[in-house]
Structures are given as structure tokens and as C-alpha cells.
Amino acid sequence: MSCPICGGETEQKFRPFCSRRCADIDLAKWLNGSYSVPSQREEDLEVEDDTQDFTPKRPH
Ligand SMILES: [Zn+2]
């Protein structure tokens, strides 16, 4: 098995990475990904908007 970041030899201590540096890089990638994909929240907001549209606000 080789380091998924740089392709170097995996170090037992930092499996599956070769070094602390590569482990940190991978962690940063995960954090960035979770921060930049708040799609579920946006969907929730859209659903709320639809519900408001569906409810007739005019009392006739
Ligand atoms: Zn590496």
C-alpha cells in the first residue's frame, strides 16, 4: 500500500499515509469538502419556501 497523497511508501505510524504532513493534507481536504457542500441545508430552505407558497395567504 502506498500513500494516497504523494504515492510514497506508507509508514506504519501514519497509515495509510507516509508522513504526518500527508495525513494533515488529507484531513484538510476532508474539512474543506464538508465546509463547501452545505447542499442539504439549501434543500431544507427550498422546501420551506415551497411550503409557504403552497399555503394560501390571501384570506379571500
Ligand atoms: Zn505521502
Side-chain angles (χ1 to χ4, degrees):
M1 193 172 184
S2 57
C3 173
I5 302 299
C6 71
E9 277 188 43
T10 296
E11 187 75 34
Q12 279 286 338
K13 196 172 166 185
F14 301 107
R15 278 195 315 165
F17 309 101
C18 71
S19 63
R20 175 75 189 278
R21 191 175 65 92
C22 284
D24 282 348
I25 290 171
D26 188 70
L27 181 67
K29 276 162 80 175
W30 276 99
L31 290 176
N32 288 336
S34 61
Y35 277 130
S36 67
V37 187
S39 58
Q40 282 190 341
R41 285 201 162 213
E42 282 178 17
E43 280 176 24
D44 283 347
L45 287 175
E46 279 181 25
V47 171
E48 279 182 23
D49 282 348
D50 284 349
T51 307
Q52 283 180 352
D53 280 348
F54 191 76
T55 308
K57 291 224 164 182
R58 290 186 291 180
H60 190 66

